[in-house]
Amino acid sequence: MRADEIIIEPLLTEKSNGQREIHQYSFVIDKRANKIMVMKAVQELFNVHPVSCNIINVGGKPRRLRSRSGYTSAWKKAVVTIGANEKIQIFEGA
């Protein structure tokens, strides 16, 4: 898989915005990706040096629309820690 196929989109929530202060960035990733693939993709796309990566499988939530019930889609999240003196400029607004 290519780097742009592994990282689907950045995850911008209140918690992930707070984690940027300690150099942790969150991404929605492909379900088939592993830690090594994610770290290489971050290095290739953003020109930073990842230190570690944690991956979380997020399950779908039950939803109900009128009389139909079902679940939202399950997805995969990665929290990547980068070096102390580095920043990803896309998250910083520049």
Side-chain angles (χ1 to χ4, degrees):
M1 285 194 298
R2 295 188 330 250
D4 60 340
E5 292 175 341
I6 294 171
I7 296 178
I8 297 171
E9 63 184 344
L11 187 62
L12 300 174
T13 62
E14 192 172 341
K15 182 177 181 178
S16 67
N17 288 338
Q19 287 179 326
R20 287 194 326 222
E21 295 175 5
I22 56 173
H23 304 285
Q24 290 183 340
Y25 295 88
S26 300
F27 301 97
V28 176
I29 61 171
D30 189 88
K31 287 186 179 184
R32 299 168 291 174
N34 59 29
K35 290 182 180 188
I36 296 167
M37 295 166 77
V38 171
M39 289 176 69
K40 285 182 182 178
V42 168
Q43 184 173 7
E44 182 180 326
L45 292 174
F46 303 113
N47 296 323
V48 294
H49 301 290
V51 177
S52 67
C53 177
N54 295 322
I55 293 183
I56 301 104
N57 285 310
V58 181
K61 296 180 182 177
R63 295 284 185 207
R64 201 171 116 168
L65 178 65
R66 298 187 187 146
S67 62
R68 298 171 49 189
S69 14
Y71 286 86
T72 60
S73 298
W75 52 286
K76 204 169 190 180
K77 174 171 77 170
V79 179
V80 179
T81 305
I82 62 173
N85 298 327
E86 296 180 318
K87 291 184 179 180
I88 296 178
Q89 294 301 321
I90 292 173
F91 284 94
E92 303 304 324

